[in-house]
Amino acid sequence: ALRRQEGAREVLEYRFRFGPSEIERENSFTRQPNAIPYEQIEKILRTGTELQLCLKNKLYYILDPNRFENGTEADFWRLMNEKCSAAVPKKYRA
């Protein structure tokens, strides 16, 4: 309720920045960044129009490939093949 009074968004959204050694994650509520090491990605699923990052700690993040900035879905798969190839579906492996 306090967040609503402050004019904050009601829907929790994440912004991901794919860096050289980790994924920087920031949520729309706290705006505090934290990191996900690529080694934590267990698998990546392509489901319909979404991508799902499944982490070893059982957290899941849904990505909309239509919202990638400064890159494309093909760039995403190239990076994932480089950083965590075992998590990439066979169809997208290089």
Side-chain angles (χ1 to χ4, degrees):
L2 180 60
R3 298 287 300 161
R4 226 177 293 127
Q5 289 174 351
E6 294 172 353
R9 298 178 69 154
E10 297 220 13
V11 176
L12 176 63
E13 291 183 352
Y14 287 95
R15 177 174 290 252
F16 296 92
R17 289 179 193 88
F18 294 85
S21 61
E22 61 194 15
I23 301 169
E24 186 179 302
R25 178 188 68 194
E26 180 181 295
N27 74 48
S28 59
F29 287 163
T30 65
R31 303 272 187 217
Q32 296 297 316
N34 56 34
I36 302 169
Y38 288 109
E39 302 87 48
Q40 287 299 310
I41 301 174
E42 186 170 42
K43 62 184 169 182
I44 305 167
L45 303 173
R46 180 70 158 109
T47 57
T49 60
E50 299 171 335
L51 297 166
Q52 293 181 9
L53 291 180
C54 307
L55 305 184
K56 291 178 180 176
N57 62 2
K58 305 302 180 210
L59 289 176
Y60 295 84
Y61 293 101
I62 298 173
L63 307 177
D64 180 352
N66 295 320
R67 297 192 60 191
F68 287 160
E69 297 175 10
N70 302 317
T72 64
E73 185 177 347
D75 295 327
F76 169 79
W77 289 117
R78 274 192 293 280
L79 180 66
M80 294 300 103
N81 271 292
E82 179 185 320
K83 301 297 182 180
C84 52
S85 61
V88 175
K90 290 179 184 177
K91 178 179 175 180
Y92 297 101
R93 287 190 188 159

